[in-house]
Amino acid sequence: MKKFLTMLLTVVLAVSSLGLFTACGGDEEQQGSNEKIAALICLHGEGSSYDKNFIDAFKAACKAKGLTEEQYTIVVDIPEDEPAYEKAAEFADAGYKVVFGDSFGHEKFLIKAAKEFPNVQFCHATGTAGGFLNTEDTSDDAPANFHNAFASIYEGRYLAGVAAGLKLIELYGEDITADEAKIGYVGAWPFAEVKSGLTSFYLGVKSIVPNTTMEVRFTNSWYDPVAEQTAAEALIQGGAKLVSGHADSYGVPTACKNANVPNVFYNGTTNEDTFVIASKINWQPYFEHMLDGVMVEGKSIEKDYCGTLENGSVQITALGKAAAEGTQTKLDEVKAKLMSGEIKVFDCATFTVNGAPLTEYLADVVDTGDFTGETNVVKTEGGKTYFAESEFRSAPYFDLIIDGITVGADVVTPVK
Amino acid sequence: MANNKTIHEPLLHIVKRDNISIAKKISIYAIAILVSLLLGGIICSIVSPRGNVGKFFTSLYEGCFGTKRKTWLFFQEFSLLLAVSMALIVSFKMKFWNLGANGQILMGGLASIACSYYLGGKINESLLIVLCVLSSMLAGAIWAVIPAICKALWNTNETLFTLMLNYIASGLVNLFIAIWVTGGSGILNPLAYGKLPEIYNKYLLIVLFGIIITIIITIYLRYTKHGYEISVVGDSPNTARYIGINVKKVIIRTLILSGIICGIVGLLLTSGMSNNISADKAGNRGFTAIMTTWLANCNPLFAIATCGLVVFITKGMEMVRPTFGMLDDTISNLVIGIVYFFIIACAFFVQYKIVFNAKTTAILNKIATPFIWVYDKIKLGVLFIIEKIKPIFNKIVKKENTEKEDK
Amino acid sequence: MVSLLASAIGFMPFFLFGCTGEIITEKSGHLNLGIPGIICAGGAGGCLAVSIYMNSINGATPNYILLILISIIGAFLLAGLLGSIYAFLTVSLKCNQNISGLALTTFGTGLTQFVMKNFVDINDISTASTLFKLNLPFANSLGWFGEIFLSHGILVYIATAIAIITAYVLNKTKIGLHLRAVGENPAAADAVGIKVDRYKYLAILIGSGIAGLAGCFFILDYIQGGYDSYYIMESLGWLSIALVIFTLWKPNFAIVGSIIFGALYILPNANIVASITTQTAIKKVIELIPYIVTILVLLFISISGSKKAQPPASLGVNYFREER
């Protein structure tokens, strides 16, 4: 018994002294207000390029607005399920003024929290409730304190496509054959957000290489490095000369590196010799707008914010080692035309669906869960007829597969 | 055999303890947990300059009981884990290693959601809920009984079989989501029909289930014939056969029970919460429960303590992470792993004691001498003080008594 | 088909290393459910070693042989270290094998993330990874044979060699015979004078080390450094445990088994499937094939009761000398 007690005493003493030692220090009192302002809810953690994008922008925006570390918080690994609601409600309980959820599936749960806490603002990326916000009927699906946000990333994709097209010309010359003009794309899920991205990328390539065709694979997962790498390898095996993608791991760039095929990425960059360019959404402008909305008297958060090239939400990264010469000047030129409206990405004169150009299209803008379209989104302005992506709602609704694009493993036919 | 070589005594013997007082047992575990948490706190404070060990412990507490909502969430999670533990206890007591609880939970949830999806709005809501409950119990039972039957008939290794069934269950969930969500996003939105009714608030139904199932299983194992049969089969299947127990029947019957419980947990996680399903709905509770069950030595009442501890640490770490500015679950896994290791080692020290050889014991005694001296002095001091206080204390008591008598 | 096989072989070392390592461990009677964590730790160990090496040569081109050796040693050491924890818990302290393994998996994944985040420079790894993919120079000119069999990095061949050596040692040497005896009937082995605990320790340590090479392969060869894509190793690790059943505890089968398993695993995203089906639902069914096949193998060997195809008799049971 004695021996036991002494062992006990020794161990407890040793560890407690260690503990006390580290307890001293590292506990500075924050000067200034400790009022809680903003909370960010992430699907995964910094390991996912998607979430890292949000995390970095959020931290930068909070710093730019002068928030102390006590005034904002970030939680990670919150699944697209009930825990999202619970976390959001916890933040509301704790006094945060605005809560942001970064993943598509968080939406319904943030809305649930929004209904319960009308004085707290809830914001969400990529969500489709924006469709309700822009209609006239006040819908239960979009309470007043709930806001959506996205960006016209299709313009960034288009620019990335232009860079890709220039690379193809550099590799195969102006007389590039149809085989040499074949490109590949690895998407996550076959729905509008991904389809809008791949189509705009394709149209960007097509504006430089008219005879290009694109083969698409869907991995049915936002994050699966092996599946993405395999799909990219399969595309390259099948003849793709350049591969891009929309998924959260680095599987596609790795496959491209191994096969020495140029790669266009999304929301991240790599140092590889095969990296051409990437498009990304910079969330900092939105986050700063969001913080203004809760901190500055008289300002409020936009219902359905759509970031643009102008305000810096849509960005293309610096050119990689594989970019062709002269790419930067061409990109600056195209970017200016996009901003002035001279070029419309989804210009109906540049693509056809099932052989015929689009004159009208009922898109599923108001997401009632029945997956059927109801809003005609084809507009004519300034002599151009175009598919007005992101104008009726910030989250994409372009879910068509146009001619020139083939889906290798999956097709979801758009409902007429 | 006569031998002229000097007998070489190994450094230590591992000797099984004859018995050990409950107090000693509890104190060993308590110390192990405390030390491992301290270690975890130290690691956290080294890794992140924003916090320190004190903050670590307060964050742990706050994460579980900081607000009313958090407290309810704690008990909800506690009840769910406890229920799964009960399902595993009945199976582990038979030495049937059911690693497939995740899959059984998912199948229960899938069955319930499938009922709501296909029949919601078409039949009476109360009837729908009854169907959901029954189908989830059936689905969980089937998923658990398949490996049980194979084990009973052909001695198929159940560890690996149940493990594979987990993958098939999550594959089936993904399959159904792919069929139902034609929009292609892979996310099933909360369904409109078939949500379980709430009692007082959304958490109480689950908490009640946890309490009730714990009581049922405790009684089942301790006071029923079935429970007796389970423990005999677990101790020795041969003995069981000799005394006339149908071992095959017991295995199958017990796994049906295990599956039913998991199925109901699946029901609660889906129709009892947000009325949707996804492949990771089970939240890996099937594996976590393996730890809590074993750490509780397959005793339902001890499982209350182990499940409570694990939920405390897990939920607590959810608060530690943002407080310390940690942006992924690296450290969480490390801390939880360390706590597990300490408790596992503890389980060993409770059953066995280490007896060192004579030489080493002498050395240890020498090292321990100053500490024993300190302990003796403190004890003497305390006793001395108590002796001094006693008469004063007695005087006060006497005075009060005489005052009372006077009145 | 060619591309499917080539991709499958390119991915095969992960399963082969993990499977061979676990076979060695299981032959000694220990079911090590900590393999997923050990694989992750091996990856971290390999990356750590490579990172240190790249740092020391400071920008010069790394020496190919040295690089491979250093990564293998680093992976083996860290994985072996974690394996030793498992060995200590289950062989010396006689703790339950399943629980110790699961605790180790949790700890191992945490440790891996910790090391990768704080001690490894991802750019160094990316540069070094290119060398892992160096293949035989004449591979390209040998048509489909070259593409399938010769166009892979050296780890593919190392994995195959280790599997063959393991099979030889297990079946044809005295050490192997003793090890198998320990796994089948430790009491009898002890009675004959075989040092049971020593064989168990060795088997677990070596088995863990080899399994750790799977992690090293995955990060340094397959995902080329991967920028944090290594989280997926844990879930893949469980498949290695399944593969042990699939290959009936025979390392030679494991070579073919890993290729088949690897092919089945990547099948949903291969060109073959892409040219046949257009439905997500069908792809989801294809994803289930590896697991269904494993269950069928499991059922088959237990129903047939064939002596040659059984798991080691004392698998999962700790050996208590005192209770002999």
Side-chain angles (χ1 to χ4, degrees), chain A residues 5 8 15 22 27 46 59 69 73 76 80-82 85-86 89-90 93 116-117 189-191 371 412, chain B residues 31 38 50 52-53 69-70 73 182-187 189 202-203 274 276 281 318 322 327 372 375:
Chain A
L5 274 174
L8 202 140
V15 186
T22 46
D27 194 21
E46 273 198 320
K59 285 205 251 189
E69 276 192 355
T73 186
V76 296
E80 293 165 314
D81 215 326
E82 198 70 10
Y85 159 74
E86 304 285 0
E90 272 175 35
D93 281 341
E116 203 176 310
F117 297 93
W189 292 97
F191 74 125
F371 308 123
V412 174
Chain B
I31 294 171
L38 262 167
R50 269 175 70 174
N52 54 47
V53 179
R69 178 189 309 274
K70 284 195 191 151
L73 274 173
T182 50
S185 66
I187 304 234
N189 283 328
K202 54 207 277 274
Y203 310 105
S274 43
N276 66 357
K281 245 322 171 182
E318 278 179 28
L327 293 171
I372 298 180
Y375 169 74

Side-chain angles (χ1 to χ4, degrees), chain A residues 257, chain C residues 14 38-57 62 66-79 111-130 132 155 209 211-231 233:
Chain A
K257 173 190 178 187
Chain C
F14 183 86
I38 290 178
I39 290 179
C40 290
C47 287
L48 191 58
V50 168
S51 205
I52 296 176
Y53 172 62
M54 295 293 286
N55 247 331
S56 68
I57 61 173
L66 209 53
L67 183 67
I68 305 280
L69 267 177
I70 286 182
S71 65
I72 290 183
I73 293 176
F76 196 93
L77 282 178
L78 194 55
L111 183 68
T112 304
Q113 292 168 319
F114 185 69
V115 168
M116 291 298 284
K117 268 191 69 173
N118 296 312
F119 302 111
V120 170
D121 181 355
I122 206 69
N123 288 318
D124 283 340
I125 302 295
S126 204
T127 323
S129 303
T130 329
F132 278 81
L155 281 177
L213 294 179
C216 168
F217 159 78
F218 189 77
I219 301 186
L220 288 166
D221 185 319
Y222 191 73
I223 62 174
Q224 297 279 301
Y227 300 88
D228 294 344
S229 296
Y230 51 81
Y231 291 85
M233 276 197 290

Side-chain angles (χ1 to χ4, degrees), chain B residues 395-406:
Chain B
K395 264 204 212 143
I396 301 176
V397 171
K398 241 188 181 169
K399 218 171 158 192
E400 278 186 11
N401 283 339
T402 46
E403 278 178 7
K404 271 202 185 135
E405 282 164 19
D406 285 341

Side-chain angles (χ1 to χ4, degrees), chain B residues 48-182:
Chain B
S48 159
R50 269 175 70 174
N52 54 47
V53 179
K55 239 185 188 170
F56 177 76
F57 280 97
T58 51
S59 300
L60 279 181
Y61 179 79
E62 254 181 68
C64 298
F65 305 112
T67 66
K68 215 161 109 177
R69 178 189 309 274
K70 284 195 191 151
T71 314
W72 273 111
L73 274 173
F74 173 82
F75 282 107
Q76 174 185 274
E77 186 55 39
F78 180 21
S79 307
L80 287 167
L81 191 60
L82 194 56
V84 183
S85 254
M86 291 302 129
L88 292 185
I89 283 181
V90 296
S91 138
F92 282 10
K93 248 191 136 83
M94 270 195 330
K95 301 267 190 336
F96 183 99
W97 304 112
N98 177 12
L99 300 195
N102 275 338
Q104 288 142 30
I105 294 175
L106 272 181
M107 291 310 281
L110 181 63
S112 173
I113 292 292
C115 283
S116 302
Y117 183 84
Y118 289 116
L119 300 172
K122 302 197 182 100
I123 65 175
N124 181 305
E125 179 79 355
S126 317
L127 180 61
L128 175 63
I129 292 184
V130 170
L131 272 174
C132 285
V133 174
L134 289 176
S135 63
S136 67
M137 284 165 53
L138 185 65
I142 293 178
W143 218 242
V145 93
I146 294 177
I149 294 179
C150 294
K151 170 93 182 181
L153 291 179
W154 304 306
N155 201 25
T156 315
N157 184 310
E158 73 274 17
T159 316
L160 303 161
F161 198 160
T162 50
L163 211 58
M164 289 300 106
L165 281 180
N166 283 341
Y167 287 107
I168 302 209
S170 61
L172 283 175
V173 170
N174 279 329
L175 175 62
F176 276 95
I177 293 182
I179 296 177
W180 293 335
V181 183
T182 50

Side-chain angles (χ1 to χ4, degrees), chain C residues 23-29 164-185 189 194-196 198-200 202-203 206 249 251 312:
Chain C
I23 289 180
I24 298 176
T25 310
E26 289 195 15
K27 280 290 185 193
S28 76
I164 297 179
I165 294 175
T166 307
Y168 179 76
V169 168
L170 273 179
N171 294 320
K172 304 270 199 258
T173 67
K174 200 162 83 167
I175 295 182
L177 180 62
H178 288 177
L179 181 62
R180 282 184 286 135
V182 165
E184 296 289 340
N185 191 340
I194 299 177
K195 294 198 168 48
V196 171
R198 187 177 297 185
Y199 270 89
K200 284 183 179 241
L202 272 177
I206 296 182
W249 291 268

